[in-house]
Amino acid sequence: MPEINFELTGKDGLARTAKFKTPHGIIETPTILPVINPNIPTLGINEMVSVGAQAFITNSYIIRRSENLREKAERNGVHSLIGFDGPIMTDSGTFQSHVYSDVEYTNLEIVEFQRKIGSDISTILDIFSEPDFSHEKAEYAVNETFARMSEIPHGVNDTILAGPIQGSVYNDLRKKSAELMSSSQAGYLPIGGVVPLLENYRYDALVDIIINSKLNASFSKPIHLFGGGHPMFLSMAVLLGVDIFDSASYVKYARDDRMLFSDGSKELSRISTLPRWSPLYGKFTVKEIKDMGVEDRKKALSLHNLAAIFNELQEIRERIFQQTLWQYVESKARSHPYLFRAYKRILEYSEILEKYEDLSKKSTFFYFDRYSDQTPYVKRLSKFTGDFSTPAKEPVILGDEHWHPGRPHDKGIKSAYEHSGRPFFIKWQNTLIPLELDETYPVEQIITAGGELPSGDIITPLNGLQLSESKIRDFDIDRVRVVADYQFGPGTGAKLFPDNTVVTRSRNTGRIRGIFLNSELLATLRAHDGFFTMTIAGARKLKDACPAPSHRIVVTDDSAEFNSKGFNVFFKFIRSNDESIIAGNEVLVVDSGDNLVAVGKSVLSGKEIKHFRSGVAVKVHKGVLQGEEKETESD
Ligand code: GUN
């Protein structure tokens, strides 16, 4: 088995961009493998490569059944047969066996055949689990599929084994199958048994299947969705963690004179012009395409359809880079009622998905309507607010006239706050947020259509507020404490920042910048997202405030030596980690004796870290052996 090499290059929640190394080259994900039928190739390999194909999938069962193809493949390999020297995946005939019940080879035979013809990714003969199977029948498919993976001899070192996750529509079975397959020698995990759901646009059922498969599978192995190549659903599937798709839809739709677009398919007869991105644009008019012979038209439309799929994937990759995939899915969901139904199902999983979201995003948060209240970042905020509220004291609720996103609260508020003992909240969309978080992501980094539901909360008139003569608290100190509570857990702020903490402000923006204790810099508050970057002194205090394993990444002692000099932490040197680490948050890098060696930013969430062996896990800002911080209170 070749070492699985799936290196992340970007992430946005569960969605990721990665480089997946196969014996015949690297596949950049997310992507789709066009299905090639070796008996009836519709498009040339170069044409498909020209619209974005990097790798293909073909069927070893079809090759083996035809004497001519089999002989050629056995003699010169599948790459020569297809005429492509890059990555090729082969399927096993499961689908044919399921539909026609006529597969005459055993699992071992078909896997050995795929290896022999040089397939980069070979698929076992899994058992297809239909959506309408009984639980018992679906469980049999899961167990038998695992037994078939287990019977493959280990150490076959020139193909990556694909181990399909089955289990019909049963969440417990998808979980079981994902766990079993992840524990096996499979280096590649396709989600199977979903074609009937895709064909019937049952995207909501697919949401359950993908989430329950993905979250219980190894995060370091690529997840494939068998047959999921319609551009409409790609972005949702990627949002939920699918990396690779395959599809013959580009030909199937073309055969029916249908054209694919990012939001659905349209009959050729109902189209008047071609979009500029289409490879057919400028070459043919719609009328000329309509007038073509059947075969030429199928070819032309297939190319257009494949380009539509790759266009959508390019958009998705870019969205991951910009960290705006959720917004894209949110707006796309409105393009079709079936997608919207699926989106609503995704929102039911928001609290679970929240655990995979970064501390903050590069992008501004878009608030559209009440459905935005159910998105992961709003859930994260409202959970914090719920824990934060003290029923004993009546809150002061500030309305739009005192604060709105993008504008700091007015000066009178600070003074009112400091002369009152009551908790202050701002009305933020349909939620109440502690005033202290008004510059923290996504509270301020938002573009909003406005909250639309009356929450029943009464805005407190400030001029009627009873204020004490003397200042009873300091807003700046409270602000840094509450941000710390939000970033590191309730109660941390007071331990990190005692009463004699001093804050300094940026000369440019007037906002809090440095947080000092006894002239030592503990942290800086970032202008772009309102969270802290910790210094070594701050990290030591965080470590004292939060007992192990909180916020810790425990590294091998060899690695500790490097990290203490400021070098990044690699996954392979991690011994253990706090499972509740938030991706993008500050982490304490410690050795096996819980001694601090460095502080940095975790690339992944605590749940994902343990699955990875290659790449950078923590971007270290500072090691304990590096010099002291230069910034001073008077800077
Ligand atoms: N093609 C479409 N669905 C499936 C599946 O469940 N298993 C395999 N091996 N191939 C498929």
Side-chain angles (χ1 to χ4, degrees), residues 30 77 162-163 189 191 281 349 443 491-492 524 570:
L189 303 174
I191 299 174
Y281 180 86
Y349 287 94
V443 181
T492 317
T524 48
F570 287 87

Side-chain angles (χ1 to χ4, degrees), residues 366-601:
F366 279 12
Y367 184 96
F368 290 100
D369 55 23
R370 67 199 168 89
Y371 289 101
S372 302
D373 291 330
Q374 295 171 45
T375 55
Y377 282 94
V378 183
K379 287 272 175 197
R380 188 183 273 174
L381 257 181
S382 38
K383 182 172 182 307
F384 179 78
T385 304
D387 294 347
F388 183 87
S389 308
T390 43
K393 287 189 182 158
E394 195 196 342
V396 172
I397 298 174
L398 303 174
D400 254 14
E401 69 280 20
H402 297 298
W403 181 87
H404 64 244
R407 194 192 69 189
H409 58 256
D410 63 47
K411 298 239 163 41
I413 299 291
K414 183 170 187 254
S415 163
Y417 179 97
E418 291 183 334
H419 291 80
S420 162
R422 288 166 61 182
F424 276 44
F425 288 92
I426 46 179
K427 219 170 134 20
W428 186 80
Q429 318 319 311
N430 299 318
T431 317
L432 293 183
I433 304 294
L435 173 67
E436 295 89 338
L437 289 185
D438 73 345
E439 291 174 4
T440 305
Y441 185 91
V443 181
E444 190 187 39
Q445 298 78 355
I446 183 179
I447 295 178
T448 175
E452 55 176 23
L453 296 179
S455 69
D457 301 307
I458 312 290
I459 305 297
T460 316
L462 268 196
N463 48 13
L465 209 59
Q466 281 213 331
L467 299 175
S468 76
E469 293 266 300
S470 56
K471 176 174 162 179
I472 52 180
R473 55 184 176 174
D474 186 278
F475 182 70
D476 289 347
I477 300 285
D478 282 3
R479 180 198 282 286
V480 297
R481 283 178 181 163
V482 176
V483 172
D485 283 354
Y486 189 47
Q487 187 170 355
F488 300 115
T492 317
K495 292 182 191 154
L496 281 182
F497 305 128
D499 289 345
N500 55 336
T501 299
V502 173
V503 306
T504 58
R505 292 182 175 276
S506 153
R507 277 193 211 120
N508 290 338
T509 62
R511 295 193 174 203
I512 294 179
R513 171 87 189 132
I515 295 94
F516 290 82
L517 187 66
N518 304 325
S519 300
E520 197 172 33
L521 182 67
L522 298 182
T524 48
L525 199 58
R526 301 190 290 255
H528 66 275
D529 66 358
F531 285 109
F532 292 114
T533 297
M534 306 301 284
T535 63
I536 288 291
R540 285 194 202 287
K541 283 197 73 70
L542 181 62
K543 186 169 158 284
D544 291 344
C546 307
S550 283
H551 305 297
R552 282 150 173 92
I553 300 233
V554 185
V555 295
T556 62
D557 291 346
D558 286 350
S559 172
E561 209 182 308
F562 283 97
N563 308 138
S564 63
K565 293 176 192 153
F567 292 100
N568 289 337
V569 175
F570 287 87
F571 286 111
K572 61 174 173 251
F573 300 119
I574 294 179
R575 292 168 66 128
S576 62
N577 67 273
D578 173 7
E579 283 244 337
S580 58
I581 285 170
I582 296 173
N585 203 1
E586 300 290 291
V587 281
L588 307 168
V589 182
V590 297
D591 66 14
S592 53
D594 201 32
N595 301 300
L596 183 75
V597 297
V599 64
K601 181 171 163 166

Side-chain angles (χ1 to χ4, degrees), residues 57 59 89-96 98 123-129 162 164-166 174 190-196 198 224-228 246:
I57 182 167
N59 199 306
M89 175 177 180
T90 44
D91 202 349
S92 55
T94 291
F95 201 55
Q96 287 69 17
H98 176 67
T123 311
I124 62 164
L125 193 64
D126 52 317
I127 309 288
F128 193 94
S129 55
I165 297 170
Q166 296 288 349
R174 289 287 173 180
I191 299 174
V194 294
V195 170
L198 285 157
H224 179 130
L225 189 68
F226 262 140
D246 72 278

Side-chain angles (χ1 to χ4, degrees), residues 31 37 48 65 191 195 199 227 237 342-343 435 456 475 511 576 622:
T31 194
N37 182 336
M48 291 194 270
R65 220 173 44 165
I191 299 174
V195 170
E199 284 175 347
Y343 179 64
L435 173 67
F475 182 70
R511 295 193 174 203
S576 62
K622 206 73 170 179

